[in-house]
Amino acid sequence: MYERYLRYVARSTDRQGARVTPAFRVFDAEVGRVQRLSPSFVRVTFTGPDLDAFADNGYDQRIKLILPLPGIGIGRLPTGPDWYPRWRALPVYARNPIRTYTARAVRPALREVDVDLVLHGEGGLATRWASRAAPGTVVALLGPDARYPGPHGGVEFRPPAGTGPLLLAGDETAVPAIGAILSRLPAGTRGAALLEVPHSGDALPVHAPPGLRVRWLPRNGHSPGHCLVPAIHDTAPGLLGGTVPGSTPEPVDVDVDAEPLWEVPDGTAAAGRPYAWLAGEAGVIRTLRRYLRGELGLGRDATAAMGYWRLGRPARG
């Protein structure tokens, strides 16, 4: 999925071979500001001369952060429309690491993009970089080009028009996306957002419609899902009223150790139905997906389930 996605967004010709503005492109950037938000979150504001062309799509817009190599920076990062195959052709040690994040806020007029990063001790490469990021550090962002005439891709929150109550749920890796989604929801939206975070101090200020309840669920040393799974069982039956137990077939299980869990509706579900957006540790999301679809009868066309990471596995780009 990751490889196909990067090939798609980097494409610079249409099916007839004509040159087109790519949906995504590499933007030169540097760290402008770093703000520690909580024990587990840091916000990095990136600036760049052409970030006024970085599209502000909101919601859970995925982007790529291209990190500098120690002692090298991003000087070896290929440029131009064919940058990605040329990057792939480099020796592994010469490839700038690429990691996936959500654009938490985009301010084209100021040429700024905010990205909230999760700090997981000193284990991961991106965490080590984020904990040491300082203004002036040169990076690159792979993001949507505002000049592209069609949908950019990378936005998975696609409820149908006139959708019913919303259920947004995830762990700390989904907090930036849920925060961005909440900030764009219409004032009359009803529902609940359940956010499991490592520590009590990780509850962040978010803007949400009055009819959407936000619950922070600190697990304080417990394993992922310890708080989120029971919270879903407590919240979903009442919130998603109108679904019929057993009305949809049991979902086919997914081996999250062998394949990514990434199921996203196409936005064609009937108006008025509830809609669930789930993201986080793949094993936990598989459990929640099975409960919502298999026991509460929420259809696949109304359930987005995305495994952002897998416990015990290194982070993917």
Side-chain angles (χ1 to χ4, degrees):
M1 178 188 66
Y2 169 64
E3 297 288 345
R4 291 198 304 271
Y5 176 70
L6 274 182
R7 285 196 296 269
Y8 165 74
V9 300
R11 190 176 62 204
S12 60
T13 59
D14 63 17
R15 297 189 179 208
Q16 287 72 45
R19 299 283 297 181
V20 298
T21 299
F24 274 50
R25 71 176 175 90
V26 176
F27 292 82
D28 295 328
E30 66 177 49
V31 176
R33 297 186 299 278
V34 179
Q35 179 185 6
R36 187 67 176 263
L37 301 176
S38 74
S40 301
F41 293 98
V42 62
R43 175 167 297 163
V44 181
T45 298
F46 296 98
T47 63
D50 58 351
L51 288 182
D52 56 337
F54 197 103
D56 180 15
N57 294 325
Y59 299 113
D60 56 342
Q61 175 70 69
R62 290 196 313 280
I63 65 172
K64 306 288 182 180
L65 173 57
I66 305 176
L67 298 172
L69 288 168
I72 299 174
I74 61 167
R76 294 185 183 177
L77 180 69
T79 59
D82 62 344
W83 74 272
Y84 180 65
R86 291 165 57 205
W87 175 86
R88 288 280 297 167
L90 291 170
V92 173
Y93 67 85
R95 294 181 195 165
N96 289 89
I98 300 175
R99 295 292 183 268
T100 304
Y101 290 99
T102 298
R104 183 61 179 85
V106 180
R107 294 178 291 277
L110 298 177
R111 295 182 171 87
E112 293 182 344
V113 176
D114 288 346
V115 178
D116 291 355
L117 297 91
V118 182
L119 304 177
H120 292 288
E122 288 290 312
L125 181 150
T127 290
R128 293 195 299 273
W129 181 86
S131 65
R132 297 169 173 80
T137 302
V138 176
V139 298
L141 299 177
L142 177 66
D145 191 326
R147 299 171 302 172
Y148 181 73
H152 293 97
V155 175
E156 309 299 5
F157 180 76
R158 300 195 296 266
T163 192
L166 293 177
L167 175 62
L168 306 171
D171 60 24
E172 60 269 28
T173 62
V175 164
I178 293 176
I181 290 170
L182 291 173
S183 69
R184 293 289 181 107
L185 292 177
T189 304
R190 298 180 296 112
L194 306 175
L195 303 100
E196 183 182 273
V197 288
H199 307 289
S200 300
D202 288 324
L204 304 176
V206 293
H207 174 78
L212 196 146
R213 180 188 180 198
V214 178
R215 287 181 60 194
W216 293 91
L217 307 166
R219 59 176 180 267
N220 294 323
H222 292 284
S223 60
H226 176 81
C227 300
L228 189 59
V229 172
I232 290 283
H233 281 253
D234 179 60
T235 303
L239 179 66
L240 307 180
T243 56
V244 180
S247 63
T248 59
E250 282 279 317
V252 175
D253 213 352
V254 176
D255 182 355
V256 294
D257 292 317
E259 58 181 307
L261 171 56
W262 201 271
E263 293 182 352
V264 180
D266 59 9
T268 59
R273 291 181 58 194
Y275 182 91
W277 183 101
L278 314 169
E281 198 282 320
V284 174
I285 299 305
R286 176 181 59 185
T287 297
L288 298 179
R289 161 189 175 270
R290 191 169 188 83
Y291 171 66
L292 294 181
R293 291 181 53 197
E295 295 190 37
L296 296 188
L298 196 63
R300 179 170 181 166
D301 60 349
T303 311
M306 295 158 287
Y308 276 6
W309 64 289
R310 178 63 174 137
L311 190 63
R313 297 288 184 90
R316 300 184 61 187

